[in-house]
């Protein structure tokens, strides 16, 4: 059945067939939404909506005025016309459209003769990007000084790179001088403070606003004689868009605070947005940008182009590292078919993280060549089974090759302009290699060196990922915006900074972020009705009245802005916080240690807290499922010894035997400990923030955390065993699965959980074993990671299998049978050793489900430290 949009387009094309050169000369072209409504029978509103979409998809032309007219891009009745020659598909008036048609052929010839490598370097310039390149060329060469252009497309498609190519093409074709400026400005950087944004863009005169103590030259002035690229133009407020009108119309603008005079500037505007321009940008602004170019997403590009991109980025990495890189065809297939949500930006960063992982291995193993296998792929948002299923739909003939080699000399000379700053990245890898060699010479263990390399690479490329490193797109986005929305961040920052600056107090980044995060949490709880003022204990008062006054000013502005009533308790809390800063945090602080099952969960939570608070105060220990309790306990004891500053250490743990560590650690080290179970990232953040202030002792921090969420239970140092958890409740199950998901790379936990739960129920029934929450959690954690290992063919060995299996052979046989269904579902084979571990979980759960068994576990833990 034909879609409505295609029916309307067909009707528009039928109307346009009869348009000829004579009608163009007499300015008699175009059809209204009413015309097409009458022709198709659809309502005018529906026709208008579909016409907007057709213009956005570059299948129709919109001509502004009264009434608004539309044309199909196919105009076969016109001589010497092709749709590619038009500089855009939106025109402010009929004369402007006619002029574009008349000049189009001349521009196309000029572009064909003088096209430079600026566009030829872009992969897809002769395929999926061919129309876009022609539009860009026409926009640059359009007399007398080019057309203002709008680039639209999803995040990460390469709008910034395309704009840069337009600039280089313009310089190569002498539309600008060789030293013409190219100024890039992301309108999102200051969107929470419109006055500051407009000041950056247009400049200001002295006294234009509070704090404007001297004149400032804006980016428009700096871009004079060149191009101003305005990224995320939809974040520019309406008054900012209106201020650009006179610049685009007459080459004039006013600085903030300027009324009597105008500034002059000859600037070509290239703007970019990820939003629907008809919804996010003023119509009057859009009419001044006739050249609209849609950059295709990665999904809209061919597999051949995607393969070219993958090759290009691996070549660039080989050049940056100055080593040969060998990439398995499995990795190439993976990168070809996985769902790359954030387009080229994500593809590039995933390749960088993959290469960095292989580089880390090469340093430790001492190999010169980097060998990249599936295990080096980053774990985030990969669904391995969907990828394998997708791969089966496609066929690439690798001619029997198992891997592809990339050499430093393979990279094209223009690669620096396409990807990133190679000098900076090469310097990073050289420094990493130099430091690693020093550590080896000092006799530091290989595992320690590996941890160092992994930490440094994740710092470097993790920061790059958060900034969306791909060609500078959204370069200034901060990680904190994921916790505090950007506009709220700027509001809170301004309130705190302005209030404290009156008393000549200036917070460092760590203290500022900590205070803003606390305020954001309080605001959210009050707005959501979850703030429990009855559970707040009386906070000790700051002795200095000035801190109380500053705190009251901050709370007053927040109350007015959000229309909420903030309890006096929070005012006292802020005053106490400010008072503690006056002591310059030279006192002792409570140590924070996160311990969790899995390979990554604890480190990831600690890393988030440290990164957002810009400290290294939160420490972590991971407990892989194959690790023994004694090993992790010994690590924890040693860590507490290192981080205890004299006020004790708060242990944030997830479950199981970890909840019993506190008492043992205290007895062994003499350090005061407290334990909070069922930990999550928000609680790690809050605990670290509170610990950074030396005004809190360990019990006060624990009380605040308890008040913030009763679902997290305080585990007293005398408590042992797994915390009570009803796994039949959806919310609790969801938390468990989320925790498991943080430890996996290839497994989709949601998909596999149903199969594993079915098997679990059947095993219980056949083996006549009673369900417990402890058994269920152990089973789920172990079996998910077991499947992960089976995919990677990295099986755990079960020592003395033949000797031990006799103890629980009947359970083993039941499990082996039930897991045949799971093996068939995923096309994998589970080793008998892995089945033995699962059987052991059920066996020991069955015999230890009494108080004597629990006491035995206590004694075993005691034994580990003796």
């Amino acid at each position: 059945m034909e879609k409505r949009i295609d029916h309307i387009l067909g009707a528009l094309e039928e109307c346009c067939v009869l348009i000829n050169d004579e009608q163009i000369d007499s300015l008699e072209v175009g059809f209204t939404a009413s015309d097409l409504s009458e022709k198709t029978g659809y309502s005018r509103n529906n026709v208008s909506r579909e016409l907007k979409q057709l213009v956005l998809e570059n299948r129709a032309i919109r001509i502004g005025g009264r009434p608004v007219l539309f044309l199909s891009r196919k105009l076969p009745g016109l001589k010497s016309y092709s749709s590619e020659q038009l500089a855009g598909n939106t025109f402010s008036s009929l004369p402007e459209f006619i002029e574009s048609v008349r000049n189009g052929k001349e521009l196309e010839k000029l572009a064909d003769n003088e096209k430079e490598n600026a566009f030829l370097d872009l992969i897809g310039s002769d395929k999926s990007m061919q129309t876009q390149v022609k539009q860009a060329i026409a926009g640059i060469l359009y007399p007398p000084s080019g057309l203002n252009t709008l680039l639209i497309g999803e995040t990460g498609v390469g709008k910034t790179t395309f704009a840069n190519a337009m600039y280089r093409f313009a310089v190569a074709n002498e539309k600008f001088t060789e030293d013409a400026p190219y100024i890039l400005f992301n309108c999102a950087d200051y969107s929470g403070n419109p006055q500051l944004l407009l000041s950056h863009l247009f400049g200001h005169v002295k006294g234009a606003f509070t704090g404007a103590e001297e004149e400032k030259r804006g980016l428009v002035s700096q871009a004079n004689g060149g191009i101003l690229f305005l990224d995320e133009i939809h974040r520019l407020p309406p008054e900012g868009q209106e201020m650009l009108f006179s610049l685009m119309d007459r080459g004039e603008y006013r600085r903030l605070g300027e009324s009597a005079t105008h500034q002059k500037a000859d600037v070509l505007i290239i703007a970019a947005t990820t939003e629907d321009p008809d919804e996010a940008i003023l119509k009057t602004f859009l009419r001044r940008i006739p050249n609209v170019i849609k950059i295709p997403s990665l999904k809209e590009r061919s597999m051949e182009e995607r393969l070219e991109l993958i090759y290009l980025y691996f070549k660039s990495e080989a050049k940056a590292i100055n080593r040969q890189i060998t990439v398995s065809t499995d990795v190439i297939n993976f990168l070809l078919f996985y769902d790359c949500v954030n387009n080229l930006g994500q593809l590039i960063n995933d390749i960088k993280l993959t290469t960095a992982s292989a580089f880390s291995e090469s340093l430790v193993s001492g190999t010169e060549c980097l060998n990249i296998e599936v295990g080096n792929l980053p774990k985030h948002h990969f669904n391995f089974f969907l990828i394998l299923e997708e791969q089966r739909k496609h066929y690439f003939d690798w001619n029997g090759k198992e891997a592809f080699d990339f050499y430093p000399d393979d990279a094209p000379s223009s690669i620096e302009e396409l990807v990133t700053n190679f000098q900076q990245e090469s310097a990073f890898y050289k420094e990493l290699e130099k430091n690693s060699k020093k550590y080896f010479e000092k006799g530091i263990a290989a595992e320690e060196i590996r941890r160092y390399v992994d930490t440094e690479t994740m710092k470097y490329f993790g920061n790059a990922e958060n900034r969306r490193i791909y060609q500078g797109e959204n370069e200034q986005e901060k990680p904190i915006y994921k916790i505090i929305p950007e506009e709220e961040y700027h509001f809170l920052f301004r309130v705190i900074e302005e209030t404290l600056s009156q008393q000549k107090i200036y917070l460092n980044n760590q203290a500022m972020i900590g205070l803003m995060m606390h305020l954001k949490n309080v605001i959210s709880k009050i707005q959501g009705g979850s703030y429990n003022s009855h559970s707040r204990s009386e906070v000790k008062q700051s002795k200095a009245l000035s801190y109380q006054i500053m705190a009251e000013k901050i709370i007053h502005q927040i109350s007015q802005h959000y229309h909420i009533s903030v309890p006096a308790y929070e005012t006292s809390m802020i005053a106490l916080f400010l008072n503690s800063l006056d002591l310059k945090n030279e006192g002792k602080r409570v140590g924070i240690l996160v311990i969790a099952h899995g390979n990554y969960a604890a480190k990831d939570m600690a890393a988030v807290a440290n990164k957002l608070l810009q400290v290294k105060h939160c420490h972590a220990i991971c407990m892989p499922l194959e690790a023994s309790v004694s090993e992790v306990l010994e690590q924890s004891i040693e860590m507490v010894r290192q981080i205890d500053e004299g006020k004790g250490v708060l242990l944030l743990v997830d479950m199981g035997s970890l909840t019993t560590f506190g008492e043992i650690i205290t007895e062994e080290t003499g350090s005061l400990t407290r334990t909070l179970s069922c930990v999550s990232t928000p609680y790690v953040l809050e605990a670290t923030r509170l610990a950074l202030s030396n005004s809190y002792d360990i019990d006060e921090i624990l009380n605040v955390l308890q008040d913030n969420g009763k679902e997290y239970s305080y585990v007293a140092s005398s408590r042992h065993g797994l915390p009570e958890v009803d796994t039949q409740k959806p919310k609790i199950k969801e938390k468990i699965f989320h925790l498991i998901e943080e430890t996996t790379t290839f497994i989709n936990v949601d998909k596999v959980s149903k199969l594993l739960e079915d098997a679990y129920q059947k095993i219980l029934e056949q083996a006549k074993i009673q369900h417990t929450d402890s058994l269920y959690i152990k089973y789920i954690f172990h079996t998910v990671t077991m499947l992960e290992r089976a995919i990677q063919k990295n099986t755990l060995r079960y020592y003395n299998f033949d000797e031990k299996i006799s103890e629980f052979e009947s359970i083993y046989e039941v499990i082996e049978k039930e897991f045949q269904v799971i093996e068939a579902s995923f096309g994998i084979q589970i080793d008998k050793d892995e089945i033995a571990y699962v059987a052991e979980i059920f066996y020991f759960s069955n015999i230890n489900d009494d108080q004597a068994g629990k006491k035995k576990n206590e004694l075993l833990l005691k034994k580990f430290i003796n």
Side-chain angles (χ1 to χ4, degrees), residues 545-713:
L545 181 61
S546 60
Y547 296 118
Q548 189 72 22
I549 293 173
M550 284 186 283
E552 288 173 357
K553 286 183 178 180
I554 291 171
I555 291 299
H556 175 70
Q557 292 185 67
I558 288 173
S559 300
Q560 284 193 322
H561 182 80
Y562 290 98
H563 305 291
I564 58 176
S565 177
V566 181
Y569 171 87
E570 295 300 337
T571 306
S572 299
M573 284 282 289
I574 294 171
L576 188 64
F577 175 78
L578 296 175
N579 193 10
S580 71
L581 293 175
D582 194 39
L583 303 175
K584 302 187 186 299
N585 281 330
E586 291 176 354
K588 298 173 181 178
R589 300 172 297 183
V590 174
I592 302 295
L593 176 58
V594 185
I595 316 174
H597 289 78
N599 296 320
Y600 308 104
K603 287 183 178 178
D604 286 349
M605 287 187 279
V608 169
N610 285 332
K611 185 168 188 175
L612 290 174
L613 296 173
Q614 300 180 21
V615 295
K616 294 181 180 179
H617 189 70
C618 186
H619 302 270
I621 293 176
C622 294
M623 183 177 180
L625 295 182
E626 62 271 19
S628 67
V629 175
S630 61
E631 292 171 350
V632 178
L633 180 57
E634 287 175 6
Q635 291 178 42
S636 303
I637 291 169
E638 183 57 34
M639 181 66 76
V640 168
R641 284 195 178 109
Q642 293 176 23
I643 67 175
D644 184 12
E645 299 178 10
K647 295 185 72 172
V649 176
L650 179 62
L651 306 179
L652 303 169
V653 305
D654 57 353
M655 61 180 187
S657 56
L658 301 182
T659 62
T660 67
F661 278 16
E663 181 182 347
I664 301 170
I665 292 173
T666 297
E667 290 179 4
E668 179 69 13
T669 64
S671 295
L672 176 67
T673 62
R674 294 289 184 267
T675 307
L676 187 76
S677 67
C678 296
V679 68
S680 70
T681 302
Y683 273 70
V684 175
L685 268 170
E686 182 69 355
T688 307
R689 185 188 72 80
L690 293 170
L692 292 174
S693 171
N694 57 27
S695 58
Y696 293 93
D697 62 32
I698 192 169
D699 288 313
E700 286 174 329
I701 293 176
L702 195 59
N703 288 336
V704 173
L705 294 175
Q706 285 179 291
D707 289 342
N708 281 346
K710 295 300 181 182
E711 71 272 21
Y712 293 88
S713 56

Side-chain angles (χ1 to χ4, degrees), residues 70-87:
F70 295 91
L71 291 167
S72 164
R73 285 189 69 90
K74 299 176 182 178
L75 296 171
L78 297 183
K79 297 175 182 178
S80 301
Y81 167 86
S82 66
S83 60
E84 289 84 1
Q85 75 191 43
L86 280 183

Side-chain angles (χ1 to χ4, degrees), residues 185-198:
F185 179 65
N186 192 319
C187 299
D189 290 350
Y190 301 95
S191 60
N193 190 334
Q195 191 177 55
L196 189 59
L197 189 157
L198 296 178

